[in-house]
Amino acid sequence: MVGAILTGISVKIMGRKGTLLTMNPLSIIGAALMWVSDSIYVAMAARFIQGLFAGLATGVVPLYVGEISPTKIRGAVITVHQLFVTLGLLVAQVLGHHKVWGNCHGWRYTLVFTAVPSLIQLLILPSLPDSPRAIFIDQNWEDGAEKSLQLFRGTDDVQAEIDEIREERDDERASGQMSEWKLICHRPSRRQLITISVVLVLQQLCGINAILLFVQNLIDSTVLKNNDIVGIGVCIANVGITVIAIILMDWVGRKRLLLGGYIFAGFSCILLAISLLLESSQYKEGLGSTHGEGEKHAAYLGLASMIGFILGFAVGPGPVPWIITVEYFRQSSRPAASTIGHFLNWLFNAAIFWIFSYLNEGTFKDKTNRAGFVVFFFMIICFLPTGFLYYFMPETKNKSFQNIYQEFSQRSRSTEDNNDNKTPTESTQNLITNTPIQASDGESVANGREAPASAYTTPKRLYHPTGEDTRRPTEIDLRYQDGNESLTSPLTRGAQPITSRETESTSSSDTSLTTDSNQRLSTPSQSPPHNTFSFREAISAICTED
């Protein structure tokens, strides 16, 4: 998590390539400390340093790879990052086997092996240029960006990409580099930030790391106990399916793969939960000790559903979050977005690890039916985001960064236009409850005979009262004109409702407003009982409000 937090500031100071070169020594230092460690404190320090490396790597590598990739194959190239993550899991599973290095004599070799990829990267990376977009936009060096593009593309004809980068630089010249807090407060980027945050959090909550980290415990709880090859086979399946995702990413598209992957993983969770519940019932009936046919069938069903879950995750929920984190933002806000998204990803990764470790102690080892209910939780998480993603996640395959940004801008403007087209009466009714307000002539303004639209004076755009935009009005006046008489009801931004007390006027020229002492004008923070909003309208208002 700490490494993820440092991603943004590291990229701003040292650039993409500079950060990659700087973080590799952290991995080597951590591995060296693990080799010489003779106490738990040295080992903890070594693991902390390697954790910094891992947090920086997950944030910076997709940025660099995404910015140097051609538009038509950008999704496939970024998915290669996920492929090497799965290869790392497979190598760890093999090296951690008790017949290899997973024993009291070879554990140091397993931990030191993490320095090997860093050494390879230190040898290769200096020969590669920095990201062309970073050179052009951040360093304002067009010739350097052109040379970088020519090297990565293998051709001198890169003028079209240079023009696209120049257009992006000119559009965001005034904004400068965004900090994390500035990005959070930047309303035009709110939809993108919410989307990547949801996707990166759900990537962990769906349970993939819990299942992969404890796959051996899941296997040991079945009749496949001590079958060491099963855990390695699951990791091999993960690698193979990720290769298929590379082929499909720029053909089928990010959105379809993500939704399809979550749905497939959700159904696999149902089968896995059923298999665990069936095995638990067989065990309680006394068949567990003899490995009856019912328990064997449940075990094989569980293994098949586990592989199905990994298949669903690997084709979409695994690689797509890294891709859209790069694609949804422009150069000035991309490092900050990566910092926020990957911090949330690591935070929930740790939360799932701690929770599942606790549940694992008394769930799978005791062969209780709690294991099935834990997997049902993962099933709910897999199905939960499908509606949100279907409506609010645009497809970005074969689109340039500038085109993606313009599409988000058009969606925001469309929502604003829909809000502006509401009549003053409609806007006012969204802010007032049913309580009728009586004018001096006895006419009901809010709920009786409605005043004409011309009687209302409202600003062009009404904002929710809890917002932070300093442009929004602090008071809205409802005026009902009738000769020399007027009715004014201030709706303030405060969170508490305003109570109108019964008043009497002794002058004939004064306006009288009588309201029962128990009747109140509610502020917009209280929802009108007669106004209902669909899920899509509510989320759209949050994501695109400007």
Side-chain angles (χ1 to χ4, degrees):
M1 287 189 290
V2 177
I5 294 173
L6 296 176
T7 299
I9 189 171
S10 300
V11 168
K12 293 173 187 176
I13 295 174
M14 297 179 287
R16 278 73 169 157
K17 178 182 175 181
T19 304
L20 289 171
L21 288 172
T22 304
M23 73 183 189
N24 283 291
L26 293 176
S27 174
I28 298 173
I29 293 172
L33 287 176
M34 288 302 304
W35 179 259
V36 301
S37 64
D38 55 357
S39 68
I40 186 64
Y41 302 105
V42 177
M44 289 176 61
R47 296 300 291 169
F48 178 80
I49 293 173
Q50 289 182 322
L52 288 177
F53 164 77
L56 284 168
T58 55
V60 180
V61 171
L63 285 182
Y64 181 75
V65 173
E67 291 178 5
I68 68 175
S69 305
T71 300
K72 292 184 178 180
I73 60 171
R74 184 173 56 231
V77 175
I78 300 177
T79 307
V80 173
H81 163 69
Q82 179 69 14
L83 173 64
F84 278 94
V85 172
T86 60
L87 283 172
L89 293 173
L90 174 60
V91 172
Q93 190 78 13
V94 173
L95 296 182
H97 193 275
H98 68 275
K99 293 183 179 179
V100 186
W101 287 342
N103 49 58
C104 60
H105 303 290
W107 64 271
R108 291 181 187 271
Y109 297 102
T110 304
L111 297 175
V112 170
F113 188 81
T114 58
V116 174
S118 297
L119 288 171
I120 295 174
Q121 192 174 89
L122 281 177
L123 294 175
I124 297 176
L125 192 60
S127 63
L128 300 176
D130 203 347
S131 160
R133 310 185 77 85
I135 296 174
F136 198 159
I137 299 176
D138 298 339
Q139 303 175 21
N140 198 26
W141 185 20
E142 182 174 345
D143 292 340
E146 185 173 357
K147 292 179 181 178
S148 176
L149 273 175
Q150 289 171 349
L151 177 63
F152 283 122
R153 302 295 181 264
T155 178
D156 294 335
D157 186 14
V158 294
Q159 191 58 43
E161 288 190 71
I162 289 292
D163 292 341
E164 188 262 328
I165 298 175
R166 183 185 294 109
E167 180 183 358
E168 179 179 345
R169 184 203 59 180
D170 294 341
D171 286 348
E172 63 175 359
R173 188 189 295 273
S175 62
Q177 286 290 330
M178 283 192 181
S179 64
E180 288 74 21
W181 180 248
K182 186 176 179 181
L183 177 61
I184 292 172
C185 299
H186 190 237
R187 296 187 183 278
S189 301
R190 181 167 294 178
R191 177 190 287 265
Q192 299 96 300
L193 187 60
I194 290 176
T195 302
I196 67 148
S197 298
V198 169
V199 171
L200 284 167
V201 168
L202 290 173
Q203 186 190 56
Q204 297 300 329
L205 288 182
C206 73
I208 181 63
N209 282 336
I211 290 178
L212 288 177
L213 289 173
F214 297 96
V215 63
Q216 197 60 50
N217 296 87
L218 290 169
I219 293 170
D220 288 347
S221 68
T222 68
V223 296
L224 302 174
K225 185 175 182 179
N226 298 325
N227 194 340
D228 301 324
I229 199 65
V230 175
I232 297 175
V234 170
C235 291
I236 293 175
N238 193 12
V239 174
I241 297 165
T242 306
V243 172
I244 296 175
I246 294 175
I247 300 172
L248 298 178
M249 191 58 65
D250 291 297
W251 178 35
V252 178
R254 291 85 159 118
K255 186 174 181 177
R256 290 180 180 177
L257 289 177
L258 184 64
L259 290 173
Y262 270 126
I263 293 172
F264 196 90
F267 282 113
S268 298
C269 281
I270 295 175
L271 295 177
L272 179 58
I274 292 173
S275 69
L276 291 171
L277 293 174
L278 287 175
E279 185 194 358
S280 174
S281 64
Q282 293 289 332
Y283 185 84
K284 289 178 180 179
E285 291 174 5
L287 299 178
S289 58
T290 59
H291 300 321
E293 287 298 321
E295 189 179 3
K296 288 182 180 180
H297 293 159
Y300 288 120
L301 175 62
L303 180 61
S305 58
M306 208 182 329
I307 295 176
F309 178 89
I310 294 173
L311 185 152
F313 179 87
V315 296
V320 170
W322 313 114
I323 298 173
I324 64 174
T325 301
V326 176
E327 292 181 331
Y328 279 12
F329 298 89
R330 297 201 293 185
Q331 194 72 14
S332 61
S333 56
R334 197 172 291 130
S338 178
T339 299
I340 295 171
H342 291 94
F343 167 74
L344 291 174
N345 186 268
W346 279 105
L347 176 65
F348 282 87
N349 184 3
I352 287 294
F353 179 84
W354 292 328
I355 294 172
F356 201 79
S357 296
Y358 172 76
L359 293 174
N360 181 65
E361 291 300 321
T363 297
F364 297 102
K365 293 182 179 180
D366 295 339
K367 285 188 178 291
T368 63
N369 57 10
R370 285 183 295 173
F373 294 111
V374 171
V375 178
F376 268 125
F377 168 78
F378 296 145
M379 178 270 294
I380 294 172
I381 295 298
C382 288
F383 288 130
L384 189 63
T386 53
F388 173 86
L389 297 175
Y390 179 80
Y391 284 115
F392 297 101
M393 178 182 173
E395 180 55 65
T396 56
K397 68 172 183 177
N398 300 327
K399 294 180 181 179
S400 67
F401 291 119
Q402 190 69 358
N403 290 339
I404 295 170
Y405 177 80
Q406 291 171 354
E407 181 176 346
F408 275 110
S409 299
Q410 291 173 358
R411 290 188 175 207
S412 298
R413 285 195 297 268
S414 176
T415 303
E416 292 175 14
D417 293 340
N418 291 336
N419 293 336
D420 291 342
N421 288 335
K422 289 184 178 181
T423 64
T425 301
E426 291 172 338
S427 299
T428 307
Q429 286 176 342
N430 286 340
L431 298 177
I432 303 179
T433 62
N434 286 7
T435 307
I437 304 173
Q438 298 295 330
S440 58
D441 58 357
E443 294 175 342
S444 175
V445 176
N447 241 1
R449 182 177 63 80
E450 198 172 80
S454 60
Y456 296 90
T457 58
T458 58
K460 180 179 180 182
R461 186 178 295 122
L462 295 176
Y463 294 88
H464 194 279
T466 58
E468 298 297 329
D469 197 325
T470 57
R471 297 174 297 171
R472 15 187 114 168
T474 58
E475 183 174 300
I476 302 171
D477 290 336
L478 267 176
R479 293 184 176 87
Y480 180 70
Q481 304 293 342
D482 186 7
N484 294 326
E485 295 181 348
S486 64
L487 172 64
T488 302
S489 293
L491 299 179
T492 65
R493 293 174 64 183
Q496 299 298 325
I498 303 171
T499 304
S500 299
R501 300 181 180 278
E502 185 174 351
T503 60
E504 294 184 357
S505 176
T506 57
S507 174
S508 59
S509 62
D510 293 339
T511 303
S512 64
L513 172 62
T514 59
T515 309
D516 185 82
S517 58
N518 294 326
Q519 292 176 332
R520 294 183 175 182
L521 265 178
S522 299
T523 59
S525 60
Q526 295 178 340
S527 301
H530 289 306
N531 290 329
T532 58
F533 299 92
S534 67
F535 171 79
R536 182 176 183 179
E537 291 172 340
I539 298 298
S540 179
I542 294 173
C543 294
T544 62
E545 182 184 7
D546 184 13

